[in-house]
């Protein structure tokens, strides 16, 4: 995997940190950044050695302050449609990539930046973070999935109030709304994010992938089909060495040892 001008990758064992690195524009998403993210997550999708991805923004001020307004200002409706589809493609790829993706938000996550974070499995935030869909202030609506993913995360009424008003909220309000799972002090932010990622990387790799698959695919299913999908995924794990290791280790009162990569069976 190669770094691009505005997207950097850093690998630590089975954990990959992907950093959007355009701090002068508060990591705003232009077409080049979206293309780079698409390439990176395509590579991640094909990498069987990885356990978890942390997606974050550089500069200490923003995760991502939105789609690039300077690039959008002169778009025609056709150009805007292509731009929206590009953003949607990146968000869809992130949401369906085979392993968990953590949005590590340390600063502003606005507009397309919040939509990118919503495509991740969950969002953890530093206490200085701010969240919003401020598009109506620009005469726009969210264009990378905010009208779709935000109500599913926090409920339709809260999402409606927030999208209509363009209000910006702080990290603790986001926690109360269920938008973020954890608020972390700025000083402890990177060590806590790393601990969360390493904890996931230490669990059964087939199990984590299977859990993500059921969580993602069941969103589009009725209850009966979703439960059937879960039962199938649950039972398929009984054919894996890691299930033997996990259950045997429990009964032997020792910690399980799992191996990411080659020894896994494909799920
Ligand atoms: N696009 C392009 N450039 C941006 C940007 C964005 N979304 N957000 C910030 N920047 C740029 C600023 O223009 C500024 O550049 P210059 O130094 O060259 O002037 C630089 O980043 C720093 O920003 P500010 O000086 O504004 O910093 P601040 O601390 O005063 O304010 C902020 C921070 C509140 C986040 C403010 O920058 C802001 O409101 N940004 C725009 C947020 C927004 O509206 N996002 C939604 C975009 S539309 C969208 O995302 C549509 C979609 O769903 C696809």
């Amino acid at each position: 995997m190669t770094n691009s001008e505005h997207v950097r990758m850093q690998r630590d064992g089975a954990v990959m940190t992907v950093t959007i690195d355009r701090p002068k524009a508060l990591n705003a998403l232009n077409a080049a950044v979206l293309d780079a993210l698409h390439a990176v997550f395509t590579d991640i999708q094909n990498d069987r050695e990885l356990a978890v991805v942390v997606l974050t923004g550089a500069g200490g001020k923003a995760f991502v302050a939105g789609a690039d307004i300077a690039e959008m200002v002169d778009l025609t409706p056709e150009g805007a449609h292509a731009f929206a589809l590009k953003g949607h493609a990146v968000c869809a790829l992130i949401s369906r990539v085979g392993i968990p993706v953590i949005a590590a938000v340390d600063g502003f996550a606005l507009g397309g930046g919040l939509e990118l974070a919503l495509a991740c499995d969950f969002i953890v935030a530093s206490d200085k973070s701010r969240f919003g869909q401020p598009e109506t202030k620009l005469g726009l609506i969210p264009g990378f999935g905010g009208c779709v993913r935000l109500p599913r995360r926090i409920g339709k009424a809260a999402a409606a109030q927030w999208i209509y008003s363009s209000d910006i909220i702080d990290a603790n309000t986001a926690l109360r709304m269920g938008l973020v799972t954890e608020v972390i002090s700025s000083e402890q932010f990177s060590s806590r994010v790393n601990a969360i990622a390493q904890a996931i990387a230490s669990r059964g790799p087939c199990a984590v992938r299977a859990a993500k698959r059921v969580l993602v695919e069941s969103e589009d299913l009725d209850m009966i089909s979703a439960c059937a999908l879960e039962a199938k995924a649950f039972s398929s794990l009984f054919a894996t060495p890691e299930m033997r290791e996990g259950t045997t280790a429990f009964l032997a009162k020792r910690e399980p040892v799992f191996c990411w990569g080659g020894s896994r069976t494909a799920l």
Side-chain angles (χ1 to χ4, degrees):
M1 286 184 214
T2 47
N3 292 312
S4 65
E5 191 187 351
H6 294 309
V7 178
R8 284 190 283 111
M9 281 158 300
Q10 193 182 351
R11 192 174 193 137
D12 176 12
V15 178
M16 177 72 89
T17 299
V18 177
T19 305
I20 301 169
D21 188 7
R22 212 186 155 216
K24 282 190 182 149
L26 301 187
N27 304 320
L29 301 173
N30 59 17
V33 174
L34 291 172
D35 286 342
L37 283 171
H38 200 280
V40 164
F41 277 93
T42 301
D43 287 346
I44 287 170
Q45 175 74 347
N46 296 325
D47 190 333
R48 299 296 297 181
E49 305 293 325
L50 281 177
V52 58
V53 180
V54 175
L55 179 61
T56 194
K61 192 169 169 187
F63 173 72
V64 168
D68 190 322
I69 299 168
E71 195 173 87
M72 285 194 307
V73 68
D74 290 323
L75 289 178
T76 61
E78 293 74 23
H81 190 235
F83 185 58
L85 292 183
K86 199 183 268 293
H88 273 285
V90 171
C91 290
L93 179 59
I94 290 174
S95 70
R96 299 188 85 88
V97 80
I99 54 176
V101 183
I102 305 167
V105 173
D106 184 21
F108 291 106
L110 302 176
L114 177 53
E115 293 168 292
L116 192 67
L118 283 166
C120 300
D121 289 85
F122 58 91
I123 304 171
V124 295
S126 74
D127 51 10
K128 70 167 196 261
S129 297
R130 299 283 181 276
F131 299 86
Q133 295 284 173
E135 285 91 347
T136 59
K137 214 169 152 186
L138 299 167
L140 287 171
I141 64 167
F144 295 168
C147 293
V148 181
R149 288 195 178 89
L150 188 62
R152 291 181 186 200
R153 183 72 58 91
I154 64 171
K156 187 178 168 197
Q161 180 179 354
W162 206 18
I163 289 170
Y164 300 158
S165 69
S166 281
D167 281 349
I168 307 259
I169 61 166
D170 64 23
N172 283 313
T173 308
L175 182 69
R176 282 197 300 279
M177 292 170 94
L179 177 65
V180 308
T181 55
E182 198 168 321
V183 176
I184 305 158
S185 73
S186 294
E187 303 75 55
Q188 317 246 296
F189 189 65
S190 19
S191 63
R192 176 64 191 143
V193 169
N194 188 46
I196 295 167
Q198 293 296 347
I200 295 170
S202 73
R203 307 307 185 213
C206 293
V208 172
R209 280 183 178 259
K212 169 143 188 179
R213 200 168 57 112
V214 176
L215 281 162
V216 170
E217 291 182 14
S218 64
E219 277 180 339
D220 299 325
L221 298 175
D222 61 79
M223 182 69 82
I224 290 173
S225 309
C227 290
L229 176 71
E230 186 191 68
K232 198 151 183 261
F234 171 78
S235 55
S236 73
L237 291 166
F238 285 69
T240 62
E242 80 176 48
M243 178 271 179
R244 297 284 149 229
E245 167 61 12
T247 50
T248 307
F250 174 81
L251 294 173
K253 300 192 187 305
R254 65 169 174 81
E255 285 299 309
V257 180
F258 297 119
C259 174
W260 284 89
S263 69
R264 284 177 297 155
T265 53
L267 274 174

